[in-house]
């Protein structure tokens, strides 16, 4: 079964210039899919379509077998429970403790639980991503960048989503922290069967290490989709250049 199925997705913001130009992509349930590509090729626009934040100009997006165009706005908001998103800068609430940050979606969607249960659930998620209890009452500004990533990830997985989206999870991090975040993506992915992880990244090493499948976007379409091996063996010039640059850089 495909977690994500995109057919001929086109998107224009001004009615004239197309950012996505007939994009086709399938992501198998249970896989880690990495989406790579040069800057400005539409990766973030694609991500926002998956979350229902942008509407396609044409084409079909199905997620977990549901055509998301069929969902009303109110249904879309509950459908979003299927998603966990780790934004690039973790996007935490500055004036809430790390624990309160993780409790935020739980408070919103798990009103069936008591306060104590919600707090326990949030603690368990922070524990799962390896954040020590001594940091639970600190503000995001009082913990390190790596810890903020952990908090962001704990919040992303708070509702046990089936699909986890990572938007440039390691951009701007040092090599040690990059490896730590990549490890965290892997361990989170493996923490439950059936999770689908979608990682948008500039980091080719991460894509090759994490990705069961890798899709390279170019000019609003998928230029190549395959395994790391397919990327090394390709004849497509632009992919070769991307691979050479990515491998040379580190
Ligand atoms: N809301 C918007 N309105 C108009 N144009 C947009 C909007 N969002 C994105 N675009 C355009 O769509 C194109 C693709 O942008 P996108 O952010 O998806 O690139 P990207 O592949 O994520 O690049 P990067 O690797 O730099 O993050 C860009 O030309 C951008 O200007
Ligand atoms: Mg982007």
């Amino acid at each position: 079964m495909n977690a994500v199925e995109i057919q001929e997705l086109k998107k224009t913001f001004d009615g004239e210039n197309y950012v996505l130009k007939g994009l086709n992509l399938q992501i198998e349930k249970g896989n880690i899919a990495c989406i790579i590509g040069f800057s400005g090729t539409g990766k973030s626009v694609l991500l926002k379509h998956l979350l229902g934040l942008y509407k396609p100009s044409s084409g079909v997006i199905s997620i977990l077998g549901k055509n998301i165009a069929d969902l009303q706005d109110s249904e879309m908001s509950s459908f979003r429970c299927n998603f966990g998103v780790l934004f690039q800068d973790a996007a935490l609430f500055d004036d809430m403790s790390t624990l309160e940050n993780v409790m935020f979606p739980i408070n919103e969607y798990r009103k069936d639980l008591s306060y104590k249960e919600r707090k326990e659930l949030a603690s368990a998620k922070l524990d799962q991503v390896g954040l020590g209890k001594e940091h639970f009452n600190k503000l995001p500004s009082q913990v390190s960048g790596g810890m903020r990533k952990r908090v962001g990830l704990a919040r992303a997985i708070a509702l046990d989503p089936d699909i986890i989206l990572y938007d440039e999870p390691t951009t701007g991090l040092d090599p040690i922290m990059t490896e730590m975040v990549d490890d965290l993506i892997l361990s989170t992915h493996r923490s439950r069967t059936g999770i689908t992880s979608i990682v948008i990244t500039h980091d080719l090493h991460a894509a090759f290490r994490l990705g069961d499948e890798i899709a390279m976007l170019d000019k609003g379409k998928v230029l190549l989709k395959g395994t790391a091996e397919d990327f090394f063996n390709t004849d497509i010039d632009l992919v070769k250049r991307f691979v050479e640059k990515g491998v040379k850089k580190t």
Side-chain angles (χ1 to χ4, degrees):
M1 183 196 175
N2 286 323
V4 173
E5 199 163 321
I6 299 172
Q7 287 159 11
E8 289 299 316
L9 175 60
K10 293 186 184 169
K11 180 65 177 178
T12 175
F13 290 99
D14 59 9
E16 215 172 291
N17 303 296
Y18 280 81
V19 175
L20 302 179
K21 300 174 184 171
L23 185 145
N24 293 292
L25 181 66
Q26 281 90 40
I27 297 172
E28 198 174 315
K29 189 169 187 287
N31 272 0
I32 301 184
C34 292
I35 295 175
I36 60 174
F38 291 106
S39 194
T41 49
K43 301 183 298 294
S44 295
V45 169
L46 171 63
L47 178 109
K48 287 177 184 157
H49 276 88
L50 295 178
L51 292 170
L53 299 173
Y54 288 161
K55 298 256 181 285
S57 300
S58 65
V60 177
I61 303 173
S62 301
I63 292 167
L64 302 168
K66 255 201 186 124
N67 181 344
I68 60 172
D70 294 341
L71 299 172
Q72 307 295 324
D73 283 353
S74 60
E75 291 172 307
M76 192 64 213
S77 93
S78 56
F79 190 67
R80 278 204 199 107
C81 285
N82 290 315
F83 287 103
V85 189
L86 180 62
F87 293 101
Q88 185 170 343
D89 56 358
L92 301 175
F93 301 110
D94 297 332
D95 55 350
M96 291 184 193
S97 71
T98 60
L99 184 68
E100 286 164 345
N101 264 280
V102 181
M103 282 183 76
F104 189 82
I106 300 173
N107 290 337
E108 193 76 5
Y109 286 101
R110 297 299 311 270
K111 297 192 196 299
D112 56 310
L113 300 179
S114 70
Y115 177 81
K116 186 162 170 278
E117 287 167 328
R118 282 180 271 138
K119 198 169 167 180
E120 275 167 10
L121 184 55
S123 306
K125 294 299 170 187
L126 281 170
D127 193 52
Q128 186 183 331
V129 300
L131 194 84
K133 282 199 170 36
E134 65 275 24
H135 302 299
F136 285 11
N137 293 318
K138 291 183 182 167
L139 295 174
S141 61
Q142 295 168 327
V143 297
S144 72
M147 289 179 194
R148 280 197 289 278
K149 287 271 180 199
R150 287 177 197 267
V151 178
L153 183 56
R155 191 177 63 183
I157 61 173
L159 301 170
D160 292 326
D162 295 315
I163 300 177
I164 308 177
L165 297 168
Y166 298 88
D167 192 5
E168 303 281 359
T170 58
T171 301
L173 300 183
D174 67 49
I176 302 287
M177 200 128 100
T178 296
E179 198 173 301
M180 179 214 89
V181 172
D182 288 344
D183 287 343
L184 208 52
I185 292 173
L186 273 179
S187 63
T188 305
H189 185 80
R190 290 170 183 161
S191 66
R192 191 156 49 82
T193 49
I195 293 180
T196 306
S197 301
I198 302 174
V199 186
I200 292 183
T201 181
H202 278 105
D203 182 351
L204 204 64
H205 279 278
F208 286 166
R209 186 178 158 218
L210 303 176
D212 298 305
E213 38 186 349
I214 302 161
M216 179 167 169
L217 299 199
D218 185 55
K219 300 191 186 73
K221 286 188 173 191
V222 175
L223 185 61
L224 178 65
K225 181 172 169 236
T227 60
E229 212 184 325
D230 297 325
F231 275 76
F232 277 116
N233 295 330
T234 181
D235 287 330
I236 306 170
D237 258 352
L238 199 67
V239 180
K240 277 190 187 166
R241 286 211 323 259
F242 195 85
V243 170
E244 276 163 21
K245 283 218 169 66
V247 172
K248 239 185 267 161
K249 220 169 29 189
T250 38

